Amino acid sequence: NAGVTQTPKFQVLKTGQSMTLQCAQDMNHEYMSWYRQDPGMGLRLIHYSVGAGITDQGEVPNGYNVSRSTTEDFPLRLLSAAPSQTSVYFCASSGRGNEQFFGPGTRLTVL
Amino acid sequence: AQSVTQPDIHITVSEGASLELRCNYSYGATPYLFWYVQSPGQGLQLLLKYFSGDTLVQGIKGFEAEFKRSQSSFNLRKPSVHWSDAAEYFCAVGGERGSTLGRLYFGRGTQLTVWP
């Protein structure tokens, strides 16, 4: 099992560009979520999904879109990147026990 | 509203000394509680979790945590710290059923430095 995988590992964008961060899990988990990590702020929830076709907003959803067409995949889209979105992004999946299994992260820089 | 407070931003201890990292939470339902550790440039690793039952839970790497409902606390402890324990530690809270599943709320983290 690969667990939770994320691509890319690193990305540099210019302000206004769009991109999609990919996340996949092979544990057949119902729940998936996206967090961003900024220095001194811990991890903050962006969006989450409780199953295929069902998503909801977290604490900091502005500027991000998600969709979940399959159980395995949960991509995060930045529609028009801003410097404030420079961060490390973690995808996670969980089962009924709510223990989050994290991917390795994507380090994003927006210039 | 749900929230987690880790009052200590940075703690420094000597190798071999005991350690306690504090965590207080606010959550409107029965909480599931977690401690994660993150080494520099790495992802998050689960140290331990509390779901129910015995309020003292054991984790990996010799860590333990005690759940105190009356104080809304879930402090992490280790009797003797090793240099390899230097990392950032995060406390998190989540729900245990239904619509509360699928996400956690994290504290801002405590950075641990270990002196040789």
Side-chain angles (χ1 to χ4, degrees), chain A residues 31-33 35 37 40-45 48-50 58-59 88 90 94-105 107, chain B residues 2 27 32 34 36 38 41-44 46 49 51 88 90 93-96 98-109:
Chain A
Y31 307 99
M32 297 185 75
S33 49
Y35 300 85
Q37 183 179 25
M41 298 298 291
L43 280 81
R44 292 179 292 170
L45 182 68
Y48 64 98
S49 169
V50 300
E59 303 169 90
V88 180
F90 288 99
S94 60
R96 291 296 175 106
N98 218 4
E99 175 186 339
Q100 304 277 298
F101 292 82
F102 285 89
R107 187 172 294 273
Chain B
Q2 52 279 337
Y27 197 72
Y32 279 179
F34 304 83
Y36 285 86
Q38 186 181 37
Q42 301 298 309
L44 288 96
L46 179 69
K49 58 192 177 188
F51 287 171
E88 191 158 24
F90 294 95
V93 66
E96 52 91 34
S99 62
T100 66
L101 292 173
R103 69 260 190 211
L104 297 181
Y105 298 91
F106 284 81
R108 296 191 175 199

Side-chain angles (χ1 to χ4, degrees), chain B residues 33-109:
Chain B
L33 293 155
F34 304 83
W35 275 99
Y36 285 86
V37 61
Q38 186 181 37
S39 297
Q42 301 298 309
L44 288 96
Q45 181 182 23
L46 179 69
L47 282 177
L48 48 76
K49 58 192 177 188
Y50 172 77
F51 287 171
S52 64
D54 193 347
T55 56
L56 185 64
V57 293
Q58 303 297 319
I60 62 171
K61 304 184 180 185
F63 285 92
E64 66 179 26
E66 186 171 14
F67 171 59
K68 293 185 177 179
R69 185 183 300 275
S70 61
Q71 299 177 19
S72 297
S73 69
F74 189 56
N75 293 349
L76 182 71
R77 300 194 293 249
K78 187 170 185 178
S80 177
V81 171
H82 189 263
W83 64 266
S84 60
D85 293 323
E88 191 158 24
Y89 292 79
F90 294 95
C91 181
V93 66
E96 52 91 34
R97 66 180 64 200
S99 62
T100 66
L101 292 173
R103 69 260 190 211
L104 297 181
Y105 298 91
F106 284 81
R108 296 191 175 199

